[in-house]
Amino acid sequence: MEAIVEMCEKIKQNTEIYPLVIPMKTAIGIRNTWISLAGAIKTDQFFDYQKGRFAIDNPDLIQAFNFIKKLYDLNLVMPGFYDNAKARREFGTGNAAFIFDSSYFPNVLKSKMNLNTDSIQISRPPYPDHKPHGAISNRNTENKIWISSQTKHLKEARLFIEWMTRPGGYYALEYMKRSLGILAFCDHEKYRDQLPFQLIQLIEASEGLKLNDPEPLEKCSDLSKSKAFQAAEEFHPGWEWDVIYKGLFGNENFVSLVNELTKKKNNVFKKTLLLEKEEGSDISKECYQFPDWKLKKTKSY
């Protein structure tokens, strides 16, 4: 990662643009940056499936925070508190060299901001120097489309979902044309001439870039009845993003903040599990523990 710092410093010394732009107007504005950098060091998730606990206090995740803070301390990030739209426009107009963003980012620049995307390049996340690295998580629970039980247009809603997920349909084709991402339900052989596959060698060269997280529900089928994980998550929604934000800009000690966060969230998690056990539940913390899981290797549980 030091090579990234050196490259950013050279950009700043030899050009009039900022090396990096990060939207921070809201506490979750750092999400895309965190996913890429924390994922490369360990995982982008705040829950540790090896130990079964909320773990933003993990030393590797603290290292990810320290790296981001270093970029700010060295004045390598465009200053100010701006939103996604401004950050994307600054990058799209050539005022910033790098941005961490989503796979549909080029389409946003082109269709929403009328900016040329021909010169955009993508790269692998920067990995730690001379030490093992992690990967960005891919969870089975990420992709879901809900239909309200109260809808009066069930037939139309189902038709829309079928249209949107049609492997050779309009949505699939246009998504593949306009983004840097791929869709799992597509026949990829039909889209080899689209942009994602022109860049796919970068992904193929990235060992363990993404991997599937363990699925606790597959280990303990009754886990769907438990509210423990949900209770801890909802105890203070978005707390991790608030802590990262305060650590960067609030002159507060990040380690102290994350120690308080993990202690309280894990207390809610454990207490809820105990209450459920007293009510006859067979669910325990062990349902969330996968000690043999490797952070770069997808394994079926």
Side-chain angles (χ1 to χ4, degrees), residues 33-101:
T33 302
W34 177 265
I35 287 173
S36 299
L37 295 177
I41 292 175
K42 185 174 177 64
T43 173
D44 54 302
Q45 295 301 310
F46 298 124
F47 190 85
D48 186 343
Y49 283 109
Q50 292 173 320
K51 297 182 179 179
R53 65 184 295 270
F54 290 88
I56 193 177
D57 60 344
N58 184 284
D60 288 333
L61 294 185
I62 291 176
Q63 180 192 353
F65 169 84
N66 288 337
F67 181 74
I68 296 171
K69 190 172 189 308
K70 181 176 183 178
L71 295 174
Y72 275 98
D73 291 344
L74 293 175
N75 199 26
L76 299 176
V77 182
M78 182 176 288
F81 296 91
Y82 39 83
D83 58 14
N84 273 347
K86 177 176 172 58
R88 288 168 171 171
R89 184 169 294 280
E90 293 293 349
F91 173 82
T93 54
N95 293 325
F98 296 101
I99 186 172
F100 293 97
D101 214 300

Side-chain angles (χ1 to χ4, degrees), residues 2 7 13 16 24 109 126-127 132 136 140 152 169 181 187 207 222 233 242 250-251 263 285:
E2 287 306 313
M7 180 173 60
Q13 292 168 6
E16 296 182 354
M24 289 294 296
L109 292 184
Y127 293 127
I136 299 171
N140 295 331
K152 298 179 180 179
D187 181 354
E207 180 187 359
D222 285 343
E233 284 275 78
D242 291 338
N251 295 320
K263 180 180 179 181
K285 183 180 176 181

Side-chain angles (χ1 to χ4, degrees), residues 76 93 131 174 185 241 243 249 273 293:
L76 299 176
T93 54
K131 64 174 292 187
E174 292 302 312
F185 55 79
W241 305 114
V243 162
F249 305 109
L273 284 173
W293 176 54

